[in-house]
Amino acid sequence: MMARFLPILAVAAALVLPLATSNTYFHHLLVLWMLYSLLALSLNIIVGYIGELSFGHAAFFGIGAYTAAILGMNFGFPGFPGLLMAGIVAGAFGFVIGYVALRIEGPQFVILTLGFGSIIFTTTNYWVDLTRGPMGISNIAPLGVGAGFELSSALDYYYLSLLLVVAFAYACHALMLSRTGRAFIAVRENAQLAASLGVDVFRTKLLAFVVATAVAGVAGAIFAHYLTVITPEVMSLNYMVAILIMVIVGGRGTIAGPILGALIYVGLLELLRATGALRMVIFAALLTVSVIFLPGGLVSLWRRFADRSTVRTARQAQVEAGE
Amino acid sequence: MTILSVNTLTKKFGGLTAVSDVDFEVQPGEILGIIGPNGAGKTTLFNMLAGSMQPTSGTVHLKGQNITGMRADRIARLGVARTFQITSLFPALSAHDNVRAATYRTKKTGWMASIFRTATYRAEEADVDRDAMAALHFCDLAGHADDNAESLSYGDQRRLEIAIALAAKPALLLLDEPAAGMNPEEGQRLVNMIRKIRDNGTSVLLVEHHMRVVMGVCDRVVVLDHGEKIAEGTPAAVVDNPDVIRVYLGREAVSA
């Protein structure tokens, strides 16, 4: 019963959260949280729903960011249609890479995605004519419709990305209640059995991969417009691993999990800022501990707790009925 | 119309011929058994029919349509469901969700329809639930609807496999050693279930080791030995065939 209202409460809380303070740095962290949530939710489609581990996801975030930046810089392409283009370009890359890589499963697939991610990262670094290389692209115009309406403050970007997170989270929820979603889960749980029931395993995985990469591209484009500067660093191994940490530590295959994972990542990054490079070690330890002791991620703690309380109330009800 | 028609089907692995020039047909409403000693080529034949193995030569027709060498999922979409020799389920899902996933073939609405909660979507989802519960009922598993598949007993898991296959509403059901590992009581329950499936209009082809099950339920039996068909006929006729007695029945199951 309560589970039905929880998402509504969460959205309401997210709406008023930034009003708690006028500290713009706090607002900045909220924007990062929302953009990483969108990114983690998109990776969750691959890792959580079809059950393949992809290391290459940061590359698609980067492709989206660079698409928006390059379209704006070279062609004066406006912001919002640029977001759409970023999604289409990232999704097109996802289609091509998925078409090649998804024929292979398990560890080999993981290594392939790592390889593709690295190729895209390296290309971005060295194709100076297009991407300006390691310096990156700066002075990216803010999102807007002409000069009259522009997203200028962190708060604007927070609400835009919150809207997208809520919309995409709802789409994921609807997916899990649909025939398509059942096919995703069937492929994850037992691909051979899924095929024997008429599910085209390869096409199902490819659909998941394209949707995930397209959404990552949109998140990247907003990221670029928000920071007004983009460097190849967003596609580096650090980011590849960071997104996976968000999904796995938060709880793969759920909707709350990746959002919670993104919050923990952004929060810990701040708390551990003073520790410098050591924080990557801490993140690695966190991932290891989570995989070993909490394979369902942090959200599974809540489920365990909720299960225990329903068992207890059922038992109480029995006791009361008995007396 | 003939449901399944197999003509000179052959599978070679290098120099070894696992299945050699096998012909047979499955008629509507028929239960056909395929038997033979270990290594006779039963599983290879089964895999070629289900699309998980490519034949070297020969043809397979489903209701007149050539399905030779088609991928497993395409054959499934044409109305063939199968079970696996080694229990194959969606272990982490509830029995109900296992069967719900199996309604994939007969439904159409996708992700977009569920996002916008269209009327077609809602009607179809109600059908999915109803079909799934009907399949569970049919296999005496309604009481286990909410249990995880992996927590079910072995016999229940084997029946859940059949429930999954039935939820796909097949015209032809392929069973790969469904009685493997079952005790006589479970075997008898299975026999009754297979009869009921046939009575509901689904043709059944089963590959089986258990003679009691084969003899008890099949209308006709095809006997394989070393990849070749050595006999075909009613269970009673096959039991009396001297070739069959020599290669297979002589050893264990004449008493069945």
Side-chain angles (χ1 to χ4, degrees), chain A residues 266-303:
Chain A
V266 172
L268 276 183
L269 211 57
E270 281 313 304
L271 290 175
L272 302 175
R273 191 161 284 282
T275 63
L278 188 63
R279 62 188 177 190
M280 289 324 288
V281 179
I282 296 172
F283 278 125
L286 187 66
L287 181 66
T288 312
V289 169
S290 165
V291 166
I292 294 172
F293 296 106
L294 264 184
L298 283 168
V299 288
S300 65
L301 281 178
W302 160 259
R303 202 167 301 144

Side-chain angles (χ1 to χ4, degrees), chain A residues 45 168 170-180 182-201 204 207 211, chain B residues 71-73 76-77 80-82 84 88-93 100-105 107-111 114-117 121 124-125 128 164 168:
Chain A
I45 299 242
F168 190 56
Y170 170 74
C172 289
H173 170 73
L175 171 69
M176 285 300 106
L177 297 176
S178 76
R179 173 176 173 267
T180 316
R182 284 192 291 272
F184 280 23
I185 300 300
V187 165
R188 179 188 78 191
E189 291 293 315
N190 186 343
Q192 190 188 32
L193 180 57
S196 85
L197 297 169
V199 177
D200 186 332
V201 173
T204 303
L207 170 69
V211 169
Chain B
R71 260 195 348 244
D73 57 298
R77 285 199 290 278
V80 179
R82 67 166 292 182
F84 293 81
S88 185
L89 301 161
F90 303 119
L93 305 186
R100 277 159 48 86
T103 60
Y104 184 84
R105 180 181 92 82
K107 301 294 178 279
K108 283 191 188 64
T109 60
W111 191 353
S114 83
I115 287 177
F116 297 106
R117 311 217 156 233
Y121 162 77
E124 236 186 49
E125 285 302 300
V128 167
I164 289 172

Side-chain angles (χ1 to χ4, degrees), chain B residues 30-76:
Chain B
E30 185 176 41
I31 302 173
L32 179 77
I34 294 183
I35 61 170
N38 279 331
K42 303 186 299 288
T43 298
T44 305
L45 175 62
F46 188 94
N47 284 336
M48 286 191 285
L49 300 181
S52 43
M53 203 180 267
Q54 294 275 329
T56 309
S57 63
T59 59
V60 183
H61 285 79
L62 179 72
K63 290 186 274 185
Q65 183 179 357
N66 190 346
I67 61 163
T68 317
M70 252 187 205
R71 260 195 348 244
D73 57 298
R74 291 189 59 200
I75 292 178

Side-chain angles (χ1 to χ4, degrees), chain A residues 213-233:
Chain A
T213 52
V215 171
V218 173
I222 299 175
F223 188 77
H225 283 292
Y226 169 63
L227 290 180
T228 71
V229 54
I230 187 81
T231 66
E233 196 52 29

Side-chain angles (χ1 to χ4, degrees), chain B residues 3-215:
Chain B
I3 295 284
L4 188 76
S5 159
V6 174
N7 291 298
T8 63
L9 201 64
T10 300
K11 178 70 186 181
K12 290 180 180 161
F13 296 107
L16 177 85
T17 306
V19 173
S20 175
D21 284 330
V22 169
D23 301 273
F24 64 86
E25 290 185 340
V26 180
Q27 302 300 336
E30 185 176 41
I31 302 173
L32 179 77
I34 294 183
I35 61 170
N38 279 331
K42 303 186 299 288
T43 298
T44 305
L45 175 62
F46 188 94
N47 284 336
M48 286 191 285
L49 300 181
S52 43
M53 203 180 267
Q54 294 275 329
T56 309
S57 63
T59 59
V60 183
H61 285 79
L62 179 72
K63 290 186 274 185
Q65 183 179 357
N66 190 346
I67 61 163
T68 317
M70 252 187 205
R71 260 195 348 244
D73 57 298
R74 291 189 59 200
I75 292 178
R77 285 199 290 278
L78 294 172
V80 179
R82 67 166 292 182
T83 62
F84 293 81
Q85 208 173 94
I86 297 163
T87 312
S88 185
L89 301 161
F90 303 119
L93 305 186
S94 71
H96 192 229
D97 280 344
N98 265 269
V99 183
R100 277 159 48 86
T103 60
Y104 184 84
R105 180 181 92 82
T106 60
K107 301 294 178 279
K108 283 191 188 64
T109 60
W111 191 353
M112 280 303 138
S114 83
I115 287 177
F116 297 106
R117 311 217 156 233
T118 62
T120 341
Y121 162 77
R122 277 173 289 152
E124 236 186 49
E125 285 302 300
D127 278 352
V128 167
D129 284 341
R130 210 182 35 237
D131 290 356
M133 274 322 284
L136 287 178
H137 264 292
F138 189 88
C139 298
D140 293 332
L141 287 166
H144 290 294
D146 295 326
D147 296 343
N148 269 11
E150 60 195 345
S151 72
L152 298 178
S153 72
Y154 179 75
D156 286 347
Q157 288 190 352
R158 295 300 298 198
R159 274 182 293 119
L160 180 57
E161 272 200 286
I162 296 178
I164 289 172
L166 288 180
K169 297 191 177 169
L172 174 66
L173 175 62
L174 307 176
L175 299 172
D176 196 357
E177 302 202 8
M182 283 189 173
N183 61 37
E185 187 197 331
E186 286 170 332
Q188 188 52 47
R189 206 167 168 189
L190 179 74
V191 165
N192 295 340
M193 217 163 86
I194 294 172
R195 282 212 193 93
K196 241 167 80 187
I197 291 168
R198 185 262 309 274
D199 294 344
N200 286 353
T202 301
S203 306
V204 179
L205 180 151
L206 73 151
V207 166
E208 188 50 76
H209 235 67
H210 248 260
M211 292 312 295
R212 195 194 302 266
V213 170
V214 173
M215 296 304 161

